[in-house]
Amino acid sequence: MVDKLSKVTTITDLQEVAKEAGKPMTVEQADKALNRLFGAQNDTGELMGDSVAKAAKDIFG
Protein backbone atom coordinates (compact mmCIF):
# COMPACT_ATOMS: atom_id res chain seq x y z
CA MET A 1 0.00 0.00 0.00
CA VAL A 2 2.77 2.46 0.93
CA ASP A 3 4.46 1.90 -2.42
CA LYS A 4 1.24 2.65 -4.29
CA LEU A 5 0.54 5.71 -2.16
CA SER A 6 4.02 7.10 -2.75
CA LYS A 7 3.26 7.10 -6.51
CA VAL A 8 -0.13 8.82 -6.25
CA THR A 9 -0.25 12.23 -7.94
CA THR A 10 -3.96 12.94 -8.39
CA ILE A 11 -7.21 12.65 -6.47
CA THR A 12 -8.39 10.03 -8.95
CA ASP A 13 -5.22 7.97 -8.38
CA LEU A 14 -5.80 8.09 -4.64
CA GLN A 15 -9.45 7.13 -5.01
CA GLU A 16 -8.40 4.08 -7.04
CA VAL A 17 -5.87 2.98 -4.38
CA ALA A 18 -8.45 3.54 -1.64
CA LYS A 19 -11.05 1.52 -3.55
CA GLU A 20 -8.55 -1.34 -3.99
CA ALA A 21 -7.97 -1.22 -0.23
CA GLY A 22 -11.72 -1.50 0.37
CA LYS A 23 -12.04 2.06 1.69
CA PRO A 24 -13.60 4.17 -1.07
CA MET A 25 -13.26 7.95 -0.71
CA THR A 26 -15.25 10.94 -1.86
CA VAL A 27 -13.46 13.63 -3.84
CA GLU A 28 -13.31 15.77 -0.69
CA GLN A 29 -11.82 12.95 1.40
CA ALA A 30 -9.29 12.13 -1.30
CA ASP A 31 -8.30 15.80 -1.65
CA LYS A 32 -7.63 16.06 2.09
CA ALA A 33 -5.74 12.75 2.10
CA LEU A 34 -3.68 13.76 -0.95
CA ASN A 35 -2.61 16.94 0.79
CA ARG A 36 -1.59 14.81 3.79
CA LEU A 37 0.47 12.54 1.53
CA PHE A 38 2.16 15.45 -0.22
CA GLY A 39 3.00 16.98 3.16
CA ALA A 40 4.60 13.72 4.27
CA GLN A 41 6.67 13.51 1.11
CA ASN A 42 8.13 17.01 1.14
CA ASP A 43 11.49 17.88 2.70
CA THR A 44 9.96 19.58 5.73
CA GLY A 45 7.73 16.61 6.46
CA GLU A 46 10.63 14.20 6.18
CA LEU A 47 12.80 16.38 8.45
CA MET A 48 10.01 16.35 11.03
CA GLY A 49 9.90 12.54 10.93
CA ASP A 50 6.82 12.23 8.76
CA SER A 51 6.54 9.54 6.09
CA VAL A 52 4.13 8.06 3.59
CA ALA A 53 3.72 5.08 5.93
CA LYS A 54 2.59 7.37 8.76
CA ALA A 55 0.26 9.23 6.41
CA ALA A 56 -1.19 5.91 5.21
CA LYS A 57 -1.90 4.91 8.80
CA ASP A 58 -3.59 8.27 9.43
CA ILE A 59 -5.66 7.99 6.28
CA PHE A 60 -6.65 4.32 6.35
CA GLY A 61 -6.28 3.51 10.03
Side-chain angles (χ1 to χ4, degrees), residues 25-50:
M25 293 183 169
T26 65
V27 171
E28 293 80 13
Q29 291 169 321
D31 182 43
K32 184 177 178 181
L34 190 62
N35 284 323
R36 172 72 177 91
L37 285 171
F38 287 161
Q41 291 175 325
N42 71 29
D43 291 339
T44 303
E46 289 176 2
L47 287 172
M48 295 176 65
D50 205 358

Side-chain angles (χ1 to χ4, degrees), residues 36 50 53-61:
R36 172 72 177 91
D50 205 358
K54 288 181 182 178
K57 186 174 180 180
D58 289 348
I59 295 166
F60 295 108

